[in-house]
Each structure stands twice: as C-alpha cells, then as structure tokens.
Amino acid sequence: MAQILKTGEAMERALALLEAGEVVAIPTETVYGLAGDATNGEAVARIFEAKGRPRFNPLIAHVSGLAMAAGIAEFDRLSEKLANAFWPGPLTLVLPLAGSARIHPLVTAGLDTIALRMPQGFGAELIARFGRPLAAPSANSSGRITSTTAEAVEADLGGKIKLIVDGGATQVGLESTIVKVEEGTLRLLRPGGIAAEVIEAAAGRPLVRGAAGIQAPGMLASHYAPCAAVRVGATDVLPGEALLAFGSDRIKGAERAVATLNLSPTGDLREAAANLFSHMQALDRSGAKTIAVEPIPPSGLGEAINDRLSRAAAPRDVSWDNP
Ligand code: TXA
Ligand code: MG
C-alpha cells in the first residue's frame, strides 16, 4: 500500500523515489498528478503502467519555471507572454520540442511537440529541487474520475504506487487549460482551470476552438467516467437517480433523488469546478445507477465543467480513457 505523507514532510522521500525512477502522486493546484522523471523512460513507462493506460498518449511535462522550459521547448513570443502571465498556474502550452531537450520520447509519444506547464506549490518546489522536469498525468486509473484529494488517489491507485503526497483538496479542481500557438493562431486544445476568456484577454486575440493538426489525444468522447451513467442538462430527476445540483433552484423531482450534492449553492463556477470530481465520486458511491446533472452555464469555467460532464456522460462502448 502507498505511504501517505503531508506536503510538509514528504519532500525527501519524494525526491529519493523520483531519483530511483519510481512514480509519486503529488498535489498540484489543479488535480493530483502521477509524477515521474520525464528524462527516464522506465519512470515514464511506470506512469502508464500504474494508470493502466491502453495507449501511450503524450503527457504534460511539468517544469519549475521558464528557464527549465526554455531548455525543453522553443518558445514563440505569444507563448512566452502567456507563460509569464499564467505560470505558475493551470495553463499548459504545447510547443515545438527543442532539439537538445533530454525528454524521453514516451512523454511526447514520439511527437515533435511537447506540453509544458509550471504547477503551483509542492510540485513546483519538488521539480526545482529535483532539477529535471516531471511527466505527470492526472493521478487516476485510465478512464476513471480525476482525483482531487489524496484519499481519492489512495482508493484508486494506492495498491500500485509507493507514495502519495497529501496536500489536501486541490484548489482549482479541474485539469489545466491546454493551448497551442500554430502559425500565429492561438488554439484551445482542452478547456480547463483558466477560463478561455481570461487567456484571450491576456493574449489580446481570440482562442480558436476545434484544433487543427493533432488534437489532444486524450480528448476521446468518453472520459472521466464514474460507474453510474451520467445525464447532463437534466430538467427533472427520474426515480432511482442521484442529483448533481448547481445553484439555488432545484429541477423537477429533486426531492426524490436518492442522493444530492450541490456543486455550488450560490452558483459560483469556481466553487463548482473545485467540487466537480469529488462530488461525482461521492454520488457514484451512493450506488445510484444514474446521476442527473442540473444545467451549468456555458461561459467562463463553465466551459471546462460542461466539457468534463459531457465526457462523463458519453457512451462507454467506445474506447475511452482519462489520461
Ligand atoms: O492540470 C493538469 O493538466 C494535470 C496536472 C497533473 O498537471 N495533468 C493532466 O495531464 O491533466 P493528462 O496527461 O491527464 O493530460 C494531458 C493532456 C492529454 O489530453 C494529452 O493528449 C495532451 O495533454 N497533450 C500532451 N502532449 C501533447 C502534445 N504534444 N500535443 C497535443 N496535446 C498534448
Ligand atoms: Mg486525466
């Protein structure tokens, strides 16, 4: 079973495990990550193995700052501006891989681009101390709900990894927003913890949805799946259903829900994002066959919340995973 250590006491043990090519679950401000040395192929392979990921999708390499990032990827002006504006924070930039980068090709799945981000808190400190980038997908088994607490990581991956660093519930609750500058066009590859509108304001140009070229390969239809079926945009609660509520007004039949959790009683999208995955997990544990989800506004962080919910609701018979 995994050892669980609080952030204040975990640093040395985490460093020793990473040096040995092991993986460590760490908190970031977005979600928990399953981290390994991005320059060590065996460590990266262990990440895929622990997640039970069916394919080698490319991973995000986490850095301690722009200096480390500049040794890994070629920054255009706009990407550099965005890194300066949002790092450390929930923004991932996809950039051309630098020829001299010592990143193992399993991280990029052999692509000539790499996804980079600088996390906040324990992760940034760990990477700075380690001196090398850490590959880290979300710390969940492939296809399962993303973990936003150490307890959720333990329940899912505790039997497969040696250390979980416990930093409490993550602040943002959604994975990072992924963008890519392509021939001067700023593309949104995955909505996430920073609202698209906020990035557009900093960039001074629109974010183009619908990626040309390579999609974020994790963006398969069904993803983030609880055991229960998920019904989004529900206007009523059917017998036997659990209810994932939002705001102060309840939909028809809400009183008959077998379990109810509210993402944000005041209708605050930031609070809703932070609660999304843990509430889905808790409703899943209620044993309900279906979780009805009240409508969530589409703007701001609502874009990423609705994205995750619609993936959780997608049919499961297709190949799916949550990288
Ligand atoms: O907040 C986050 O981003 C979390 C925390 C742990 O940092 N990490 C995370 O990683 O969500 P992961 O592996 O679950 O998602 C990485 C996403 C995938 O959808 C992958 O396809 C995409 O990034 N990606 C990675 N490299 C890429 C590349 N070169 N081009 C396009 N997409 C890429
Ligand atoms: Mg994931």
Side-chain angles (χ1 to χ4, degrees):
M1 279 312 279
Q3 182 183 18
I4 302 181
L5 293 175
K6 301 270 185 213
T7 45
E9 56 186 19
M11 185 61 74
E12 303 305 325
R13 176 86 179 125
L15 285 168
L17 286 168
L18 291 172
E19 280 296 347
E22 297 286 347
V23 300
V24 177
I26 60 167
T28 81
E29 78 282 22
T30 57
V31 301
Y32 276 72
L34 191 59
D37 181 352
T39 69
N40 177 341
E42 278 180 37
V44 181
R46 281 202 178 97
I47 296 174
F48 287 106
E49 192 183 14
K51 284 178 67 79
R53 189 184 256 196
R55 281 176 304 282
F56 289 161
N57 289 332
L59 306 176
I60 297 172
H62 295 68
V63 295
S64 55
L66 255 177
M68 184 183 278
I72 299 172
E74 287 159 16
F75 276 77
D76 58 275
R77 282 238 176 111
L78 179 54
S79 296
E80 189 178 338
K81 181 174 172 182
L82 292 175
N84 277 317
F86 296 110
W87 284 3
L91 177 74
T92 294
L93 295 162
V94 173
L95 298 159
L97 188 63
S100 56
R102 284 180 51 230
I103 296 289
H104 193 276
L106 256 186
V107 174
T108 56
L111 296 171
D112 57 5
T113 54
I114 184 157
L116 289 181
R117 114 174 167 89
M118 178 188 180
Q120 287 171 20
F122 181 85
E125 205 186 319
L126 178 67
I127 299 160
R129 290 276 306 273
F130 189 55
R132 298 196 286 282
L134 294 180
S138 49
N140 54 271
S141 295
S142 190
R144 306 318 302 179
I145 297 175
T146 307
S147 297
T148 55
T149 62
E151 292 76 20
V153 178
E154 186 188 23
D156 184 349
L157 297 173
K160 297 182 176 159
I161 60 179
K162 294 191 172 153
L163 176 65
I164 299 168
V165 181
D166 184 358
T170 62
Q171 182 198 331
V172 177
L174 289 171
E175 297 88 339
S176 60
T177 305
I178 306 181
V179 305
K180 181 183 185 187
V181 177
E182 231 171 20
E183 288 160 12
T185 301
L186 183 60
R187 293 191 182 278
L188 179 66
L189 300 190
R190 176 176 78 181
I194 299 181
E197 294 87 335
V198 175
I199 296 172
E200 287 176 327
R205 67 177 78 187
L207 263 169
V208 177
R209 270 81 165 171
I214 172 146
Q215 285 265 353
M219 304 298 276
L220 300 169
S222 174
H223 208 86
Y224 306 98
C227 295
V230 175
R231 201 161 64 79
V232 293
T235 52
D236 57 357
V237 177
L238 303 174
E241 286 186 334
L243 175 62
L244 187 59
F246 177 83
S248 53
D249 300 331
R250 293 289 67 77
I251 54 175
K252 254 190 2 218
E255 66 288 345
R256 71 157 77 108
V258 298
T260 299
L261 284 173
N262 197 323
L263 289 169
S264 171
T266 59
D268 176 355
L269 288 169
R270 199 175 287 270
E271 182 186 20
N275 285 329
L276 180 65
F277 293 126
S278 54
H279 279 14
M280 288 216 303
Q281 273 157 347
L283 290 179
D284 212 13
R285 282 195 297 271
S286 77
K289 286 220 164 51
T290 302
I291 301 170
V293 186
E294 290 185 349
I296 316 267
S299 60
L301 286 178
E303 183 175 4
I305 294 171
N306 280 299
D307 171 80
R308 303 305 187 270
L309 284 168
S310 63
R311 287 171 203 286
R316 311 276 167 77
D317 53 348
V318 293
S319 144
W320 48 275
D321 69 327
N322 171 15

